[in-house]
Amino acid sequence: MTAQTGSPSVGPHRNAAGVGLVIVMAAGSVVVWLVSPIAWLWIASRMTDSSQPSLGPYLLVLVGMALTAVVVGKFLGIVNRTHMRVTGRISDKREHATWNRSMRGERRSTTDRGVLEQVMAISVSCALVLFGIWFFVFAGSSLPS
């Protein structure tokens, strides 16, 4: 145990593994926001020959992106728990759900959620900024001149 944090010390090999797992989480977030939509749009575009497709390709894109997000999200949750285990941040103490706690009990939450929350918040922020740049700078106006 380290004197400052009270958590077990983490060796350099665990730090390297932790960094690698954070990189995997960042790559997974790129898959959710960039690779999945492009891939499903490409698949749907191959299903139709006209510029006015029926409802089928649109539903394929919608359902495909949702299912891909669920699968990648589950995978990222597994990677996050592995990261917490490798870096020594996971606790074996059983936590009660917030709604199942006493109103007079401890008010502070002590649950460590890992780094996935921060990775996803950063990736969503980057996606929104990049979308805004594309929309306002590169997309051009659809309004008549």
Side-chain angles (χ1 to χ4, degrees):
M1 298 262 183
T2 58
Q4 292 93 356
T5 62
S7 63
S9 62
V10 179
H13 65 285
R14 287 184 170 232
N15 281 337
V19 169
L21 290 169
V22 170
I23 291 170
V24 169
M25 286 187 251
S29 69
V30 170
V31 167
V32 169
W33 300 118
L34 187 64
V35 175
S36 172
I38 291 172
W40 284 108
L41 285 171
W42 181 80
I43 291 169
S45 73
R46 298 294 173 222
M47 287 181 56
T48 184
D49 294 331
S50 73
S51 63
Q52 300 294 324
S54 63
L55 187 61
Y58 295 115
L59 286 176
L60 177 70
V61 170
L62 182 67
V63 171
M65 284 177 54
L67 289 176
T68 302
V70 168
V71 169
V72 173
K74 292 286 186 182
F75 171 73
L76 289 175
I78 292 168
V79 173
N80 187 46
R81 284 187 294 280
T82 304
H83 177 270
M84 291 176 69
R85 200 171 305 115
V86 165
T87 58
R89 293 175 64 182
I90 200 160
S91 128
D92 292 333
K93 188 176 98 175
R94 186 174 172 101
E95 293 282 335
H96 291 286
T98 305
W99 58 268
N100 203 12
R101 291 185 188 155
S102 169
M103 292 290 286
R104 296 180 184 175
E106 183 178 322
R107 300 266 183 212
R108 294 180 11 178
S109 175
T110 58
T111 305
D112 186 7
R113 295 185 182 145
V115 297
L116 181 59
E117 191 171 321
Q118 290 87 8
V119 168
M120 291 305 288
I122 290 168
S123 78
V124 167
S125 300
C126 290
L128 289 173
V129 167
L130 291 174
F131 174 75
I133 291 170
W134 169 80
F135 185 79
F136 291 112
V137 177
F138 297 111
S141 176
S142 62
L143 298 174
S145 303

